[in-house]
Amino acid sequence: METSPIPVVTVQTAPFEDQKPGTNGLRRKTAVFEGRKNYLHNYIQSVLSSIDLRDRQGCTMVVGSDGRYFSRTAIEVIVQMAAANGIGRLVIGHNGLLSTPAVSCIIRKIKAIGGIVLTASHNPGGPGGDFGIKFNVANGGPSPDTAMEKIYQVSRTLEEYAICPDLRIDLSRLGRQEFDLENKFKPFRVEIVDSVDIYLQLLRSIFDFSAIKSLLTGADQLKIHIDAMNGVMGPYVRRILCDELGAPANSAVNCVPLEDFGGQPPEPNPTYATSLVEAMKGGEFGFGAAFDADGDRYLILGENAFFVNPSDSVAIIAANLSTIPYFRQHGARGFGRSMATSTALDRVAKAMKLALYETPTGWRYFGNLMDSGRCSLCGEESFGTGSDHIREKDGLWSVLVWLSIIGARKQGVEQIVREHWARFGRNYFCRFDYEGLDPRAAFYLMRDLEAVISDKAFTSQKFAVGDRVFSVEKAENFEYIDPVDGTVARNQVRRRILFTEGSRLVFRMSGSGGGMGATIRIYAESFERDPERHSRETQVVLGPLIAIALKISNIHERTGRHGPNVIT
């Protein structure tokens, strides 16, 4: 029996004023997407309409999610609207699941025009949690500022959206599904692909899998403990670390993706990955790792829960790139880090005579550097590291790099870190997060802080804390000029203070919240060359700097807080 073509319907709507994407796309409370009529539809139409019509007609896009609540509903809407807007083919992960690194990988592999990732990263899931929509462009990376601005401008004047409300797909059935649409010459095609396959093929081309397998299965095997935190990484960990590389099945925990991530924020840091920290404290395991919901962030712990600061992690990876076949073949062309990340990577770049690029926070700023061949490795202090194999930070890639380094050097995590400090010096570094602040209070705090540090008299100021005196050398609102295309990123709500002896403070208002108020982050860093002083407690070393930060900002008095929500 011949079926009738599926109708394309135009629905009248009205614009929303709050659909300006932030650092990682549009994030709101799930209830906003689920409960406000047309809120989801408007934003998806804005994303699709931001692509030039000629490029959009018949093109291929990738769609994936971290499995959080509301993802399946949103995917169905995306499919219906993509079909109505002329997209020719959608490639979607099995059951809607694709890690953010896998989305980037697939976009690049099949030369798609871009991809939509449904994730709010490390933010909580479930009906009471957060939801996010992120659009990655054709290089596989996050939307640059120009693309995000275009999406926002479309959203402000949107009056209608196009949809095929009768189109239904089966996310559980691998393979191709085709649909005839009214007034369309070619059928609309949906391909449900294995969530892991294409990404796994890429990793095989980068690493020496046999060497890693020997490390995990040999007579002196390294015992590992990996926590997928009930996010999207469960299938990847099982398939790659256990099935491919031989780690025992009980090495991996919390590997079933859950819509609410088991009721815990899927945030890979010592504050939230407490079960991993406790498991590592016993000394049974030599290596531990955790991933966030969408798999781009990671946490590394050594035996006895020895914590590897993410700023140190990217520097240590940079210093050991020769252990990775991919870099032995292609070499390293330069390194990049966000401004808030510690300067540990700078010291490695100098030793290797490579360029170091300092960017605003947001992985999108690394895309141009990598595409132009200037940069091979990038990192952010927010537990994200990646290379030019894709255009996203990549948690599992980072874990495989660490396992490769351990195997090549035949040393444990702590010994590798301490030898790195002995060679390059130690950058003591910490971050204080003040979350859920009143947005107006946070805005005025940062505005007044800028006024303080912009005063010419501030650069001659001295701060005495105990027996130490810190002299301000430079204070500024960070500005970035892209060396590739000359675009300027300013007004980033990032203030930094540099002191004469090399310490620094950074204040940043985060743009990746989920509608739960504003977040102000304070970063403190101090460099120590003397190996005899590399085992001190981070908070003791940085205590005087933190005291200065609290005094300058008055953050406790102005917010009513007694301390940060999270310290990393």
Side-chain angles (χ1 to χ4, degrees), residues 122 431-433 506-508 510 512 519-523:
H122 54 281
R431 184 180 99 184
F432 280 28
D433 290 4
V506 175
F507 299 83
R508 172 175 169 254
S510 173
S512 60
T519 295
I520 289 179
R521 296 191 165 104
I522 300 175
Y523 308 81

Side-chain angles (χ1 to χ4, degrees), residues 340-362:
T341 302
S342 92
T343 57
L345 183 62
D346 305 37
R347 302 178 192 284
V348 178
K350 184 177 180 180
M352 295 175 68
K353 296 182 169 58
L354 293 174
L356 187 285
Y357 300 93
E358 184 182 43
T359 73
T361 297

Side-chain angles (χ1 to χ4, degrees), residues 89-271:
R89 176 173 69 140
L90 288 184
V91 175
I92 306 175
H94 191 215
N95 293 315
L97 298 176
L98 280 176
S99 72
T100 291
V103 170
S104 182
C105 168
I106 295 172
I107 290 172
R108 295 172 64 79
K109 175 75 173 178
I110 67 175
K111 296 180 169 54
I113 199 169
I116 295 175
V117 192
L118 304 177
T119 179
S121 189
H122 54 281
N123 290 19
D130 298 336
F131 192 78
I133 303 173
K134 182 172 137 179
F135 179 60
N136 281 26
V137 293
N139 74 348
S143 296
D145 289 343
T146 51
M148 290 198 296
E149 181 62 23
K150 193 171 182 181
I151 293 169
Y152 177 52
Q153 292 305 327
V154 173
S155 78
R156 294 181 66 192
T157 58
L158 195 70
E159 296 180 348
E160 61 184 31
Y161 61 83
I163 190 168
C164 296
D166 297 335
L167 196 158
R168 297 285 185 270
I169 61 165
D170 183 355
L171 291 174
S172 67
R173 178 162 63 89
L174 290 169
R176 179 185 300 180
Q177 303 168 43
E178 291 193 345
F179 306 89
D180 290 320
L181 309 180
E182 279 185 355
N183 302 320
K184 304 287 182 182
F185 295 110
K186 292 183 179 179
F188 172 67
R189 193 165 77 200
V190 174
E191 293 178 21
I192 309 298
V193 299
D194 184 278
S195 301
V196 182
D197 273 349
I198 298 175
Y199 176 71
L200 171 56
Q201 291 169 22
L202 177 63
L203 293 182
R204 283 198 190 109
S205 72
I206 295 171
F207 297 99
D208 183 344
F209 268 34
S210 63
I212 300 175
K213 188 169 185 176
S214 295
L215 176 71
L216 300 180
T217 62
D220 299 318
Q221 67 176 250
L222 175 70
K223 295 189 70 175
I224 66 175
H225 190 75
I226 310 295
D227 190 343
M229 302 192 83
N230 295 119
V232 77
M233 289 307 293
Y236 295 85
V237 169
R238 290 280 188 210
R239 176 88 171 277
I240 297 171
L241 284 173
C242 298
D243 297 347
E244 283 279 327
L245 297 173
N250 61 5
S251 300
V253 299
N254 298 321
C255 285
V256 177
L258 299 175
E259 289 190 333
D260 66 348
F261 311 115
Q264 299 296 320
E267 187 160 358
N269 64 41
T271 300

